[in-house]
């Protein structure tokens, strides 16, 4: 019977009527070869299917997982969930991912550390295109592929061994497989004119490996993921290999590839002169989202209230006598030309995984504003000290005080970009006039010192009520008003005020007799919750805008 997408009115019906009753049986998956609601740590999969039978069945990252299926509400935009699907496939080394809201169905395949769309159709066209779907993810198709290859490459390594001297006459390449490790041995004589190099494995399968003209052109990454796959521009043809070849490449010779690419560290200030609009929440969770994108992130707290310092879990004391931040924070960085570098003062925070570095603030900061303002170099000291760590970080995020004071000015002078969080309420909107005037003055000073003016990434709607009627009727009007009245762009991302966002900031742990704050990012608290997705989308939007 043909599938009718109109029968799916919610996510539950997409699961039961489309996936369980229609897709899985037609694809050949029997009840013992698929599982629903499977969890791997903080990853939860709607449906997980196996192409091969493995007894006993152990559900972990080493299982022969072939296909994950994700069901969404018919009104959901599938694009919003692609980042999560990518994380599932790459983290668990799953080959295919299917995502559907009933009205649309897409199939993605894992390609190294990314995913690629291989099939897409409307729900009403499923019946007519089912042969294509079976050819991709049908159980028999995937099972045939696995049996034909009989290649078990999990946790294997490809070691490229080159001798000290390389001559001009190529002989052969030998493949030695020992203890699940593939060693590609290049003998003593190798031609400089490498056209086609073949590696033959004589038993069950034959691998024809064609390498580009110069070995030195093969990019080598220092931090390869556990099971990366070869890029198409590195391996031009691979015959009789259905599963992507997963290898780690290690160069064991004097032959090395060195590319000096200057790091272009980006500095982003998060500022509004009105308090309570979500600056700190934005800074710390955006930092976490960027860290999960593989960026090296530094957070600087320039607000004497030290909210970011608290939010990233650096306040590990209950009594002021135990205060270990008092003599090593952003104040000392700004006071001294020659001492207290960023590298000395920054502290590693467990707020998120991967970890970020944080330059903490302190309440004493407010007492030194006048003194710092009188120092000739004070407004430029942060620029100088950030330049010293430009090779250590990709992104610097600066939390600022909700004022027009000296510390806000220092932050904006040092920054390349500006995000302005706003709850879009009347007082916050009226404050944008002061913000624009403040930016104008800062840019005047930046021009004098030969620094480019601030690039405003936009107004970020933040702490927005998730009330359905407000989102449908009031929010669009408020978004439209900002560009018209204030000439400032509104960012596409929206950060709503949600329970998960508050809960993750209120976590604590007991140390002895003390109750110590132990906040974590919302992306680590609940990776698949809506708030996490909102910050993932914000990170993506910001990284695109700043060219990272």
């Amino acid at each position: 019977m043909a599938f009718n997408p109109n029968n799916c009115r919610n996510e539950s019906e997409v699961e039961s009527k489309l996936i369980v009753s229609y897709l899985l049986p037609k694809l050949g998956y029997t009840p013992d070869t698929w599982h629903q609601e499977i969890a791997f740590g903080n990853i939860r999969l709607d449906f997980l299917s196996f192409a091969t039978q493995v007894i006993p069945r152990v559900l972990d990252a080493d299982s022969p997982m072939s296909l994950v299926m994700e069901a969404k509400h018919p009104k959901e935009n599938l694009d919003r969930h692609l980042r999560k699907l990518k994380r599932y496939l790459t983290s668990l080394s799953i080959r295919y991912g299917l995502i559907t809201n009933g009205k649309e169905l897409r199939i993605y395949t894992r390609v190294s550390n990314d995913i690629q769309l291989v099939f897409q159709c409307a729900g009403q066209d499923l019946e007519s295109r089912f042969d294509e779907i079976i050819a991709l993810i049908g159980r028999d198709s995937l099972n045939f592929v696995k049996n034909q290859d009989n290649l078990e490459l999990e946790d294997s390594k490809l070691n490229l061994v080159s001798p000290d001297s390389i001559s001009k006459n190529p002989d052969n390449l030998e493949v030695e497989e020992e203890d699940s490790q593939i060693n590609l041995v290049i003998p003593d004589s190798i031609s400089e004119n490498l056209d086609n190099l073949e590696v033959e494995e004589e038993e069950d399968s034959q691998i024809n490996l064609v390498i580009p003209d110069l070995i030195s052109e093969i990019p080598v990454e220092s931090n390869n993921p556990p099971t990366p796959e070869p890029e198409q521009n590195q391996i031009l043809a691979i015959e009789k290999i259905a599963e992507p070849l997963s290898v780690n490449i290690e160069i064991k010779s004097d032959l090395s590839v060195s590319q000096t690419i200057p790091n272009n560290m980006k500095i982003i200030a998060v500022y509004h002169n009105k308090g309570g609009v979500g600056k700190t929440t934005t800074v710390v969770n955006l930092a976490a989202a960027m860290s999960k994108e593989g960026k090296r992130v530094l957070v600087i707290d320039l607000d004497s209230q030290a909210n970011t310092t608290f939010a990233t879990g650096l306040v590990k004391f209950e009594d002021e006598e135990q205060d270990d931040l008092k003599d090593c924070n952003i104040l000392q960085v700004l006071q001294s030309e020659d001492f207290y570098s960023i590298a000395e003062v920054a502290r590693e925070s467990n707020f998120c995984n991967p970890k970020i570095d944080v330059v903490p603030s302190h309440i004493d900061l407010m007492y030194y504003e006048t003194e710092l303002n009188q120092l000739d170099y004070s407004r430029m000291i942060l620029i100088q000290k950030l330049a010293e760590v430009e090779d250590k970080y990709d992104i610097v995020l600066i939390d600022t005080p909700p004022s027009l004071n000296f510390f806000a000015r220092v932050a904006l002078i040092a920054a390349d970009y500006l995000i302005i969080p706003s709850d879009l309420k009347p007082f916050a909107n009226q404050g944008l006039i002061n913000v624009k005037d403040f930016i104008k003055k800062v840019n005047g000073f930046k021009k004098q010192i030969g620094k480019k003016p601030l690039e405003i990434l936009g107004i970020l709607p933040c702490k927005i009520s998730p009330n359905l009627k407000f989102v449908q009727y009031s929010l669009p009007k408020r978004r439209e008003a900002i560009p018209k009245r204030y000439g400032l762009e509104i960012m596409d991302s929206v950060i709503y005020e949600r329970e998960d966002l508050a809960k993750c900031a209120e976590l604590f742990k007991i140390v002895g007799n003390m109750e110590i704050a132990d906040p974590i990012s919302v992306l680590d608290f609940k990776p698949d919750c809506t708030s996490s997705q909102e910050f993932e989308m914000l990170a993506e939007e910001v990284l695109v805008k700043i060219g990272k």
Side-chain angles (χ1 to χ4, degrees):
M1 186 176 70
F3 169 71
N4 183 359
N6 294 325
N7 290 336
C8 296
R9 295 162 296 181
N10 52 49
E11 183 174 324
S12 177
E13 291 186 350
V14 172
E15 290 184 351
S16 60
K17 295 180 179 180
L18 174 54
I19 294 180
V20 174
S21 301
Y22 183 77
L23 284 176
L24 287 168
K26 291 197 68 168
L27 289 170
Y29 293 95
T30 54
D32 61 330
T33 59
W34 62 266
H35 297 266
Q36 189 172 5
E37 299 292 334
I38 296 298
F40 294 88
N42 57 16
I43 292 179
R44 185 194 62 80
L45 307 177
D46 286 352
F47 292 88
L48 178 62
S49 303
F50 296 81
T52 57
Q53 290 279 28
V54 177
I55 299 175
R57 175 68 47 82
V58 179
L59 294 180
D60 59 24
D62 294 324
S63 300
M65 301 173 287
S66 300
L67 172 66
V68 61
M69 294 184 175
E70 288 290 306
K72 302 302 170 191
H73 192 283
K75 292 184 179 179
E76 282 282 339
N77 184 343
L78 297 184
D79 289 336
R80 292 176 58 91
H81 303 278
L82 295 186
R83 186 179 295 275
K84 183 166 65 174
L85 183 66
K86 171 185 172 181
R87 183 162 62 89
Y88 293 169
L89 299 190
T90 56
S91 298
L92 299 176
S93 296
I94 301 176
R95 187 177 183 189
Y96 285 109
L98 180 150
I99 185 168
T100 180
N101 58 7
K103 299 183 182 300
E104 180 186 3
L105 181 143
R106 301 183 194 175
I107 300 173
Y108 289 83
T109 187
R110 177 171 54 87
V111 179
S112 188
N113 269 346
D114 205 349
I115 58 175
Q116 180 176 334
L117 180 68
V118 292
F119 178 85
Q120 181 178 16
C121 78
Q124 61 190 16
D125 298 330
L126 277 179
E127 190 69 23
S128 62
R129 300 191 62 184
F130 215 88
D131 287 345
E132 299 174 58
I133 300 175
I134 290 177
L136 278 172
I137 59 172
R139 182 174 173 239
D140 288 342
S141 300
L142 293 180
N143 196 15
F144 173 77
V145 163
K146 287 178 177 289
N147 289 335
Q148 185 186 42
D149 291 334
N150 196 22
L151 295 177
E152 301 216 354
L153 297 175
E154 294 169 4
D155 298 326
S156 64
K157 291 185 179 180
L158 179 64
N159 295 321
L160 181 59
V161 183
S162 173
D164 293 335
S165 59
I166 298 178
S167 61
K168 296 184 178 181
N169 297 317
D171 290 332
N172 60 353
L173 294 177
E174 301 173 0
V175 174
E176 301 175 358
E177 186 167 350
E178 184 176 271
D179 295 330
S180 299
Q181 187 174 37
I182 300 175
N183 297 315
L184 179 59
V185 182
I186 301 178
D188 291 337
S189 57
I190 295 182
S191 170
E192 293 179 353
N193 181 19
L194 296 173
D195 292 327
N196 293 318
L197 298 180
E198 295 186 352
V199 179
E200 295 187 359
E201 183 172 300
E202 295 180 353
E203 294 185 359
D204 294 334
S205 61
Q206 182 176 8
I207 304 175
N208 293 323
L209 182 60
V210 181
I211 302 179
D213 290 340
L214 293 176
I215 290 179
S216 61
E217 291 179 356
I218 301 177
V220 177
E221 298 180 8
S222 58
N223 295 315
N224 285 328
T227 55
E229 297 170 3
E231 300 291 338
Q232 291 183 354
N233 65 340
Q234 297 174 15
I235 297 181
L236 304 180
I238 298 181
E239 297 180 4
K240 297 184 180 180
I241 299 182
E243 276 286 321
L245 182 62
S246 300
V247 296
N248 283 334
I249 298 179
E250 298 177 358
I251 302 299
K252 293 185 176 179
S253 74
D254 295 332
L255 181 64
S256 62
V257 180
S258 61
Q259 291 183 343
T260 304
I261 302 175
N263 184 50
N264 189 12
M265 184 177 72
K266 307 289 188 179
I267 305 171
I268 306 169
V270 179
Y271 172 74
H272 196 306
N273 71 335
K274 182 186 182 302
V277 294
K279 290 192 303 298
T280 297
T281 299
T282 297
V283 167
V284 297
N285 286 290
L286 177 57
M290 288 180 165
S291 176
K292 292 184 187 303
E293 285 292 312
K295 305 302 180 185
R296 300 167 299 168
V297 181
L298 171 69
V299 171
I300 298 177
D301 190 354
L302 258 172
D303 186 359
S304 61
Q305 296 181 55
N307 288 331
T308 291
T309 305
F310 276 91
T312 51
L314 296 187
V315 179
K316 299 296 185 184
F317 49 87
E318 197 176 50
D319 190 280
E320 62 270 14
E321 291 183 359
Q322 303 166 334
D323 184 354
D324 62 343
L325 301 176
K326 185 178 180 69
D327 299 320
C328 192
N329 58 71
I330 189 63
L331 173 60
Q332 284 74 38
V333 172
L334 299 178
Q335 282 179 323
S336 173
E337 270 191 291
D338 303 318
F339 302 101
Y340 292 99
S341 66
I342 296 290
E344 292 176 69
V345 178
R347 303 194 180 201
E348 189 177 70
S349 169
N350 295 319
F351 169 75
C352 61
N353 184 28
K355 296 178 182 179
I356 58 174
D357 287 349
V358 180
V359 175
S361 184
H362 198 276
I363 193 171
D364 287 353
L365 200 62
M366 67 176 67
Y367 300 117
Y368 289 88
E369 181 178 356
T370 302
E371 174 188 315
L372 288 171
N373 209 8
Q374 292 173 350
L375 299 175
D376 293 335
Y377 60 80
S378 62
R379 296 182 186 181
M380 299 177 60
I381 192 76
L382 189 56
I383 297 175
Q384 171 198 324
K385 293 195 175 183
L386 282 173
E388 296 170 359
V389 293
E390 63 182 355
D391 291 329
K392 187 176 180 180
Y393 301 104
D394 301 305
I395 304 290
V396 178
L397 289 167
I398 307 178
D399 192 13
T400 58
S403 65
L404 305 171
N405 69 3
F406 166 79
F407 298 113
R409 190 181 301 273
V410 167
L412 268 58
I413 289 171
D416 305 307
Y417 304 93
L418 176 64
I419 296 173
I420 308 172
S422 175
D423 56 15
L424 305 186
K425 293 179 180 178
F427 283 137
N429 287 348
Q430 291 175 27
L432 292 176
I433 297 174
N434 295 328
V435 172
K436 287 185 67 175
D437 184 60
F438 191 51
I439 293 170
K440 184 178 179 180
K441 293 176 180 177
V442 167
N443 281 338
F445 181 80
K446 288 165 78 83
K447 185 177 180 180
Q448 291 178 3
I449 62 174
K451 204 171 187 304
K452 292 181 179 179
L454 268 174
E455 183 177 332
I456 303 174
L457 299 181
I459 307 295
L460 172 65
C462 200
K463 297 188 73 173
I464 303 298
S465 169
N467 178 274
L468 184 59
K469 289 187 177 180
F470 176 82
V471 172
Q472 287 180 336
Y473 302 107
S474 300
L475 182 57
K477 295 178 181 177
R478 294 189 180 189
R479 289 177 62 93
E480 291 174 5
I482 298 297
K484 292 178 181 178
R485 295 178 185 173
Y486 306 102
L488 295 169
E489 289 187 13
I490 283 275
M491 299 183 72
D492 295 331
S493 303
V494 179
I495 306 299
Y496 291 91
E497 197 166 24
R498 302 188 190 275
E499 187 177 6
D500 289 332
L501 205 51
K503 283 184 176 179
C504 67
E506 297 169 356
L507 297 176
F508 64 90
K509 63 181 178 181
I510 304 298
V511 179
N513 296 323
M514 295 191 304
E515 185 179 289
I516 302 296
D518 191 33
I520 61 174
S521 78
V522 70
L523 292 96
D524 293 271
F525 178 64
K526 283 190 180 179
D528 298 328
C529 73
T530 306
S531 287
S532 294
Q533 293 173 25
E534 289 167 2
F535 276 103
E536 286 173 348
M537 294 179 68
L538 173 61
E540 184 175 357
E541 180 178 356
V542 171
L543 291 173
V544 168
K545 286 186 174 182
I546 67 175
K548 276 286 189 179

